[in-house]
Amino acid sequence: HASPITTCVLKARYTTDAWADTEIPELPRCWSNGSKRCGALGMKCGMTHAWTRWGERIPLTVIEIQDNQVVQQKNLEKEGFYALKLGGGWQKRKRLNKADANQFLRAGLPLKRYMREFRVSPDAMLPLGTSITARHFAAGQFVDVQGVTKGKGFQGVMKRWGFKGQPASHGHSLSHRSPGSSGGAAGSMYATRVWPGKKMPGKMGNKRRTMRSLLVYRVNETHNLLYLKGTVPGNTGGVVRLKDAEHKKLHQHLVAPPFPTFLPGDPGDGELVEDLFAPVSEKDPMVPAAV
């Protein structure tokens, strides 16, 4: 699954002239044991669907990769670990404090709306200013997507935990959606208590959640869009964090992703192909398997 090219010179797509004369180092291009790439930051654009040749409907979530660039490197000598901080989106100077604005100005990069940090392996480190596009992910690989779920406010136990509730009639007055008993003395005559973790009414949603192993069904290079099979937590317009699926090994992906990222000059660069699709099975899912 490794690229036939062992090394190549990175020609990063910098957006400022400050990096025009910067010497670009050589990067390893082959996967090895323990290799871990950086992820990407995107905005949830909503949902759509697609149809397979067999008439199967596939729900898709659209994610836009908004001008991702490497903002900061962290190494073992200084921070004690290897990581890359990515910035994404676009922002005005007046909406950033002095510390955040100077971080972009010192690096010669445009101002970003949001930043996140990704742990990486030493062979997956990228220079400052390197662009991460939608081609960072291959159509056919699996990704983990992290976002903040929709906030539902204060909710009762029927909506929050799926309780059955109380009977709708025959003796229950004004307590049809109540939780019922919260527990007795548990063998003691006096020591009644509510155990920690008891399912009760409370605030619902607005929590960080991760959807595991979503298939990258389609990659739109022109508009930097990813079409993921399944649902993604959060509202439309929310920021999500994408990375290679942790529960999938390299050989389990339908298509191996590029390492350490998709670079200018890689196979497929410059081709007039707007959309890349994941491989589709030639077997009809409605036909039962032979015994």
Side-chain angles (χ1 to χ4, degrees):
H1 296 281
S3 172
I5 306 175
T6 56
T7 59
C8 90
V9 177
L10 170 64
K11 299 177 181 178
R13 300 170 183 172
Y14 299 123
T15 57
T16 59
D17 296 334
W19 295 89
D21 299 328
T22 304
E23 183 180 355
I24 306 301
E26 292 188 358
L27 299 178
R29 303 309 310 278
C30 286
W31 288 89
S32 61
N33 292 332
S35 293
K36 185 177 182 181
R37 305 190 310 160
C38 73
L41 304 176
M43 183 189 73
K44 180 179 177 180
C45 300
M47 293 197 67
T48 182
H49 66 272
W51 298 91
T52 65
R53 55 178 297 189
W54 310 110
E56 183 182 7
R57 183 178 182 272
I58 302 178
L60 300 174
T61 303
V62 184
I63 305 294
E64 181 186 5
I65 308 298
Q66 298 182 330
D67 196 19
N68 283 197
Q69 285 183 287
V70 177
V71 177
Q72 182 183 359
Q73 291 179 335
K74 295 189 176 182
N75 52 48
L76 187 63
E77 291 74 16
K78 187 176 180 180
E79 286 83 12
F81 57 90
Y82 291 98
L84 293 175
K85 182 184 288 187
L86 297 186
W90 307 272
Q91 190 59 282
K92 297 180 180 179
R93 172 61 184 89
K94 65 179 182 179
R95 294 179 180 174
L96 291 176
N97 56 40
K98 187 175 181 180
D100 289 341
N102 286 339
Q103 184 173 358
F104 298 113
L105 296 177
R106 284 194 302 266
L109 299 174
L111 303 180
K112 305 294 182 180
R113 181 186 172 193
Y114 40 81
M115 291 186 294
R116 298 292 188 275
E117 185 177 296
F118 294 89
R119 292 286 187 98
V120 298
S121 57
D123 57 345
M125 295 290 287
L126 296 172
L128 290 178
T130 305
S131 295
I132 303 295
T133 64
R135 291 296 297 271
H136 181 72
F137 301 99
Q141 76 163 108
F142 296 91
V143 295
D144 293 339
V145 185
Q146 187 181 80
V148 179
T149 60
K150 295 181 180 180
K152 303 294 184 179
F154 195 98
Q155 298 296 332
V157 292
M158 292 184 68
K159 181 177 178 67
R160 191 183 187 200
W161 301 111
F163 280 20
K164 178 183 178 181
Q166 306 303 320
S169 60
H170 296 287
H172 281 260
S173 300
L174 307 180
S175 62
H176 310 291
R177 300 180 65 87
S178 63
S181 173
S182 60
S188 175
M189 184 178 298
Y190 305 107
T192 59
R193 60 175 295 196
V194 178
W195 290 87
K198 177 67 177 177
K199 295 180 179 179
M200 302 183 76
K203 292 183 179 179
M204 180 180 177
N206 195 30
K207 296 181 181 296
R208 185 180 290 114
R209 292 292 181 263
T210 303
M211 297 296 291
R212 301 284 184 180
S213 301
L214 299 183
L215 174 67
V216 180
Y217 178 80
R218 174 182 170 190
V219 176
N220 185 292
E221 184 180 12
T222 304
H223 300 95
N224 261 352
L225 298 178
L226 296 176
Y227 293 76
L228 308 181
K229 182 179 179 180
T231 59
V232 170
N235 290 285
T236 299
V239 178
V240 295
R241 174 189 175 114
L242 303 97
K243 62 180 181 179
D244 298 335
E246 294 183 353
H247 296 170
K248 295 286 186 180
K249 297 182 179 179
L250 184 61
H251 69 273
Q252 293 178 314
H253 295 280
L254 302 182
V255 177
F259 185 84
T261 185
F262 185 80
L263 303 174
D266 283 359
D269 183 40
E271 297 182 1
L272 299 179
V273 179
E274 183 177 4
D275 294 302
L276 302 174
F277 292 88
V280 180
S281 175
E282 297 296 332
K283 182 179 178 181
D284 189 348
M286 303 303 296
V287 176
V291 179

